[in-house]
């Protein structure tokens, strides 16, 4: 996968203020809010290394795994429907749910 060598994990990207551009083999492209995604991955204790991210992503059009993950400036607004919790209360519920 051709991720920029300067960035190893999702956290590196968030720190730089970048988002993730994801492209599927079917041609569907989405930009994902990297900050929310990082928190989501942390909650689930998933691997946040860039080449591992695709294991937990799927295409909303065809259901396949993304073929390519690219870095995008955060100025590029996320296009993917927000599947992550929005409020603190929702986050707490996710974390509690995972612990029980
Ligand atoms: Zn697809």
């Amino acid at each position: 996968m051709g991720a920029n060598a300067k960035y190893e994990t999702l956290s590196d990207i968030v720190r730089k203020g970048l988002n993730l551009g994801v492209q599927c083999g079917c041609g569907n492209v989405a930009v994902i809010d990297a900050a929310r995604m990082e928190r989501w991955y942390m909650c689930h204790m998933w691997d946040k290394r860039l080449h591992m991210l695709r294991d937990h992503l799927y295409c909303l059009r065809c259901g396949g795994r993304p073929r390519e993950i690219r870095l995008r400036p955060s100025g590029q607004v996320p296009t993917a429907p927000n599947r992550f919790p929005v409020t603190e209360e929702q986050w707490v519920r996710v974390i509690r749910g995972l612990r029980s």
Side-chain angles (χ1 to χ4, degrees):
M1 200 201 72
N4 193 320
K6 279 188 292 187
Y7 306 109
E8 278 184 12
T9 70
L10 198 48
S11 310
D12 295 338
I13 292 176
V14 172
R15 220 174 294 130
K16 290 287 175 185
L18 299 169
N19 278 337
L20 282 177
V22 179
Q23 183 166 12
C24 177
C26 76
N28 194 24
V29 178
V31 176
I32 304 175
D33 184 323
R36 286 219 175 91
M37 186 169 159
E38 185 205 17
R39 196 169 177 187
W40 184 251
Y41 272 55
M42 277 195 310
C43 286
H44 289 83
M45 296 198 290
W46 288 340
D47 199 322
K48 286 187 293 171
R49 283 174 296 165
L50 296 184
H51 67 281
M52 300 297 289
L53 298 181
R54 66 190 291 281
D55 285 9
H56 300 288
L57 296 173
Y58 63 91
C59 174
L60 291 173
R61 191 198 280 170
C62 75
R65 297 283 177 211
R67 190 177 56 180
E68 231 181 306
I69 295 180
R70 292 199 189 120
L71 307 185
R72 290 278 182 268
S74 59
Q76 196 168 341
V77 180
T79 58
N82 185 16
R83 294 187 293 121
F84 305 124
V86 175
T87 66
E88 278 307 307
E89 198 192 343
Q90 288 171 337
W91 277 109
V92 168
R93 221 176 291 149
V94 168
I95 294 163
R96 279 204 197 119
L98 290 168
R99 279 183 188 150
S100 60

